[in-house]
């Protein structure tokens, strides 16, 4: 599950750990309820993991976005700014 997302990286909560410092090609697929949001693809490095906290069956995992097309990054920045404004 995506917990936090910015144009620089993302935080996931998962049941399985992945090897740290691996590089992945990721795709965010948006539900139809997100108008004008197309799927977003990018390369990301898995940079840290933490299994601490209340729910120790889950891994908090941090990714740093390392490869993203300029247009895709602009779309991601617009989306995250829109979400931040809705939360604030």
């Amino acid at each position: 599950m995506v917990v936090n997302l910015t144009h620089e990286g993302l935080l996931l909560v998962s049941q399985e750990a992945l090897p740290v410092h691996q590089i992945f090609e990721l795709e965010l697929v948006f539900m139809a309820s997100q108008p004008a949001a197309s799927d977003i693809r990018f390369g990301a490095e898995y940079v840290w993991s933490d299994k601490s906290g209340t729910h120790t069956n889950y891994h908090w995992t941090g990714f740093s976005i390392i490869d993203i097309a300029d247009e895709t990054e602009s779309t991601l920045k617009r989306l995250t700014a829109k979400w931040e404004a809705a939360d604030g």
Side-chain angles (χ1 to χ4, degrees):
M1 176 188 316
V2 177
V3 177
N4 192 351
L5 174 66
T6 72
H7 68 281
E8 296 175 326
L10 63 147
L11 175 62
L12 302 179
V13 173
S14 62
Q15 292 182 342
E16 295 184 31
L18 299 171
V20 178
H21 302 298
Q22 295 292 314
I23 296 175
F24 295 87
E25 184 175 336
L26 301 176
E27 180 178 22
L28 298 173
V29 178
F30 294 94
M31 300 182 320
S33 63
Q34 290 292 326
S38 59
D39 298 347
I40 294 177
R41 292 186 177 150
F42 53 88
E45 181 180 9
Y46 187 134
V47 293
W48 63 268
S49 178
D50 184 8
K51 195 176 177 181
S52 64
T54 315
H55 303 286
T56 56
N57 292 336
Y58 295 95
H59 297 267
W60 293 84
T61 56
F63 286 86
S64 178
I65 296 175
I66 59 172
D67 182 31
I68 189 168
D70 291 341
E71 183 178 320
T72 304
E73 183 177 21
S74 294
T75 300
L76 186 55
K77 283 180 179 179
R78 281 193 306 274
L79 283 171
T80 55
K82 182 178 168 183
W83 296 334
E84 286 173 10
D87 285 342

